[in-house]
Amino acid sequence: MSSTDLVAFLRARLYDDERRARALVLDGKPVENPVPRHVLPRVLAEIDRKRDLVSRYEAMTADVLVVTGREAIISEYRRVILPDLALPYADHPDYRNDWRP
């Protein structure tokens, strides 16, 4: 599994998710839709948190973020965290089955 490809895939999907979520709001006013108003901030916060996880992985692999147990943490990201973040997008045409947890 190429973690570089998986990270790029995740970044693209999170960008798409954010763009779609923000499209539900025009000029600060919700567009007529079945999504309750309180859901959008939670969706955007979830996207931000997922981006933070991906960024933390990238920082560790680039030696920008140094932590105790770095190799074990990076291994956990590659084996579990990144594949789990990608799994909800398994129906996307760019999703690769070797990314499955």
Side-chain angles (χ1 to χ4, degrees), residues 27-56:
D27 297 322
K29 298 176 189 163
V31 176
E32 285 269 336
N33 65 65
V35 178
R37 178 178 288 186
H38 70 280
V39 172
L40 183 60
R42 186 200 50 78
V43 168
L44 294 174
E46 185 176 326
I47 292 166
D48 284 342
R49 186 65 193 118
K50 290 176 181 178
R51 274 197 188 113
D52 288 346
L53 288 168
V54 173
S55 293
R56 182 171 294 169

Side-chain angles (χ1 to χ4, degrees), residues 1-97:
M1 169 182 76
S2 167
S3 57
T4 303
D5 293 344
L6 181 50
V7 166
F9 174 81
L10 283 168
R11 287 215 174 270
R13 299 298 67 76
L14 294 171
Y15 172 80
D16 290 345
D17 287 351
E18 181 179 18
R19 185 176 47 80
R20 287 186 184 110
R22 290 191 183 282
L24 297 174
V25 177
L26 294 175
D27 297 322
K29 298 176 189 163
V31 176
E32 285 269 336
N33 65 65
V35 178
R37 178 178 288 186
H38 70 280
V39 172
L40 183 60
R42 186 200 50 78
V43 168
L44 294 174
E46 185 176 326
I47 292 166
D48 284 342
R49 186 65 193 118
K50 290 176 181 178
R51 274 197 188 113
D52 288 346
L53 288 168
V54 173
S55 293
R56 182 171 294 169
Y57 168 77
E58 290 177 309
M60 280 189 287
T61 58
D63 288 327
V64 174
L65 175 62
V66 179
V67 295
T68 303
R70 178 183 165 274
E71 291 304 318
I73 295 169
I74 289 173
S75 177
E76 184 75 3
Y77 263 90
R78 288 178 179 156
R79 282 184 325 98
V80 178
I81 297 169
L82 296 177
D84 280 354
L85 289 173
L87 191 57
Y89 305 105
D91 62 342
H92 190 279
D94 294 335
Y95 183 86
R96 295 183 357 205
N97 280 325

